[in-house]
Amino acid sequence: MSEAIKLHYTVPGDDFTQAGEASSDVKGVLKKLGLPSEIVRKVSIAMYEGEINMAIHGGGGEIEVSIDTGAVDMRLVDQGPGIPNVALAMQEGWSTAPERVRNLGFGAGMGLPNMKRYTDEMEVDSEIGRGTTVHMRVNLA
């Protein structure tokens, strides 16, 4: 590919019927580009987890994806309440998801840990009362 492919998605807040559409679309784009299945899998899982977190905790938000010859970069931005303790939120099983969300099968506390696990780089920038920005990168090499 000669220049980066740029994709933009809006994730609605508290809507679990639409959460996952962006990661599904990106998965299709990566497959059409002929990228290895392991890359497609990693990006799809990390992005899906991010979308669900945005729907549950962030009131929705925006996702920017850039695909070039070196990496798939994903930037997820919400204007939610922010994460009070990012280190704690990175621990498997730790969750602030409300009971109604857990009853739907979400909110098991694996979102951020899985996002980190399936990416080569991940950075979380969160400010209480202002929201959270997560940058993830999956290298193609």
Side-chain angles (χ1 to χ4, degrees):
M1 86 193 78
S2 58
E3 61 183 68
I5 296 170
K6 306 272 187 194
L7 304 168
H8 176 87
Y9 303 94
T10 299
V11 177
D14 210 27
D15 184 346
F16 300 103
T17 60
Q18 289 186 29
E21 287 184 7
S23 55
S24 180
D25 186 69
V26 170
K27 180 180 183 178
V29 170
L30 297 177
K31 282 183 170 184
K32 284 181 186 164
L33 290 171
L35 292 177
S37 60
E38 182 61 19
I39 298 291
V40 174
R41 182 176 159 275
K42 288 169 69 173
V43 170
S44 299
I45 291 170
M47 215 170 122
Y48 177 78
E49 294 284 11
E51 279 182 86
I52 293 298
N53 275 359
M54 291 170 88
I56 292 172
H57 305 288
E62 304 292 323
I63 300 176
E64 299 287 339
V65 179
S66 177
I67 307 162
D68 64 29
T69 56
V72 177
D73 283 295
M74 298 154 278
R75 185 170 178 264
L76 293 71
V77 181
D78 71 46
Q79 281 76 47
I83 303 170
N85 185 331
V86 174
L88 188 58
M90 292 298 297
Q91 293 180 17
E92 291 186 10
W94 188 84
S95 178
T96 60
E99 191 64 32
R100 65 177 177 74
V101 170
R102 291 175 192 234
N103 288 339
L104 294 172
F106 300 102
M110 292 304 295
L112 286 171
N114 276 339
M115 291 162 70
K116 176 106 175 127
R117 180 177 292 115
Y118 290 103
T119 57
D120 296 304
E121 297 174 35
M122 185 173 114
E123 186 177 307
V124 179
D125 179 25
S126 192
E127 188 177 335
I128 300 304
R130 292 194 115 356
T132 301
T133 298
V134 178
H135 175 258
M136 298 182 289
R137 170 175 278 190
V138 174
N139 296 322
L140 300 184

